[in-house]
Amino acid sequence: MTEQTKQLPDAVPESAASPDGEIRARWAWVEAEVWTERMLTALEQGVLGGKWFSWMDKVYALRNLRRAFERVKANDGAAGVDHVTVKEFERNLEANLEKLACTLREGSYRPQAIRRHWINQLGSKEKRPLGIPTVRDRVVQTALRAVLEPIFERDFAAHRYGFRPGRGCKEALRRVDALLTAGFNGVVDADLKSYFDTIPQVALVARVEEKVADSKVLGLLKAYLTAKIMETAEGWTPAEGTPQGAVISPLLSNIYLDPLDHLLAAGGFHLVR
């Protein structure tokens, strides 16, 4: 975070209004299985009351679940508490996806427990916890993220680069270089210790509720947040946080910090996060 006395243009300028044909190009990263051009137009123009309703049918749509599985397969990853690997899930893919769609539609779907695994932290003797959901739950979380992410991505602060589509370390470093070139030389480097594991769940859900009014989607999100963590034979239910390693967690982490990002930006600070 650099001194606020100098002026510099926003990292990402606001898009001007343009014909519908260009909307898909601006939102090229969104899942076409979920977001039509008509819906993207509504997203850019804003919806009545600022809230989105009736999204659960888009989460469990088979075309969305199929695309979600493709993404899970591309990331591979270990099996969860049920010991089912990505390859094993794929052997009966259509039957597995249809079962997921049915349980989500009927409201009987329940996330399985999350397997906790400890990994080394780069440059530290400490280890950090990684939560590994089952493959079936990773598929549903990916389908849920495809629905939710554009709604919140629309208004995320320009200076945020972590866990965002089309952005990453390289873009963040370019922004830092631009700030240094512009003469900013006072820097504050800050880190939030155990951030994922300490996010207040009630406040996090309230942030989501500001833009999403589908009770079934919100119920699904709460079920993920309170899924049992299997670190011991008995396991335990978390009272706070969202598991680092879960597909939906990076988006949720950005949603919770969004008001702080905008507050600092409004105060004239140039951030890179």
Side-chain angles (χ1 to χ4, degrees):
M1 182 167 61
T2 57
E3 58 187 275
Q4 56 178 326
T5 55
K6 304 180 181 69
Q7 296 297 317
L8 197 73
D10 288 340
V12 180
E14 293 184 4
S15 300
S18 57
D20 287 351
E22 298 180 16
I23 292 178
R24 180 62 66 186
R26 287 198 298 273
W27 293 90
W29 58 271
V30 306
E31 297 294 0
E33 290 81 359
V34 177
W35 288 88
T36 64
E37 286 200 4
R38 179 173 173 272
M39 291 166 62
L40 290 174
T41 300
L43 179 66
E44 288 196 349
Q45 295 177 351
V47 293
L48 185 64
K51 287 193 176 186
W52 294 78
F53 296 81
S54 303
W55 279 101
M56 195 60 179
D57 62 323
K58 296 172 180 61
V59 175
Y60 63 68
L62 278 172
R63 60 185 181 277
N64 188 24
L65 292 175
R66 288 192 191 99
R67 179 59 179 148
F69 173 77
E70 291 174 8
R71 290 187 174 275
V72 170
K73 180 181 178 180
N75 291 329
D76 199 11
V81 295
D82 61 358
H83 306 293
V84 175
T85 65
V86 173
K87 287 185 179 180
E88 289 170 337
F89 189 90
E90 189 177 20
R91 286 174 192 160
N92 297 296
L93 181 59
E94 284 306 307
N96 286 330
L97 295 183
E98 288 175 7
K99 182 178 180 181
L100 278 178
C102 181
T103 56
L104 286 164
R105 182 171 58 251
E106 294 175 349
S108 59
Y109 170 85
R110 297 293 182 273
Q112 293 173 283
I114 294 173
R115 181 166 68 87
R116 171 155 286 195
H117 177 66
W118 291 86
I119 60 176
N120 294 323
Q121 275 197 136
L122 186 63
S124 173
K125 294 182 179 179
E126 295 183 2
K127 293 180 179 289
R128 64 184 178 91
L130 190 66
I132 304 176
T134 61
V135 174
R136 69 187 280 273
D137 290 340
R138 297 207 293 271
V139 170
V140 179
Q141 285 190 29
T142 303
L144 177 61
R145 186 183 67 187
V147 167
L148 294 180
E149 193 164 30
I151 296 173
F152 292 92
E153 178 67 26
R154 173 184 181 270
D155 298 317
F156 278 159
H159 57 254
R160 180 186 302 165
Y161 295 88
F163 308 126
R164 294 186 65 183
R167 294 184 170 209
C169 294
K170 290 182 179 180
E171 290 76 20
L173 288 173
R174 291 190 189 103
R175 176 62 174 165
V176 170
D177 183 66
L179 288 165
L180 292 173
T181 302
F184 290 83
N185 51 27
V187 179
V188 176
D189 182 15
D191 182 34
L192 298 176
K193 185 177 177 60
S194 301
Y195 172 57
F196 278 80
D197 288 333
T198 57
I199 298 175
Q201 292 182 355
V202 173
L204 172 59
V205 172
R207 293 270 188 272
V208 178
E209 288 176 333
E210 290 174 1
K211 295 185 178 181
V212 178
D214 188 317
S215 61
K216 293 182 179 179
V217 168
L218 293 170
L220 180 60
L221 177 59
K222 293 174 185 177
Y224 281 129
L225 292 175
T226 57
K228 182 176 286 189
I229 305 293
M230 299 305 295
E231 187 173 10
T232 63
E234 296 79 17
W236 52 278
T237 301
E240 60 181 1
T242 179
Q244 189 164 0
V247 175
I248 198 71
S249 292
L251 173 61
L252 296 179
S253 73
N254 276 339
I255 290 173
Y256 184 71
L257 276 185
D258 190 51
L260 176 62
D261 285 343
H262 285 286
L263 180 64
L264 290 173
F269 295 96
H270 295 291
L271 283 80
V272 179
R273 183 171 74 76

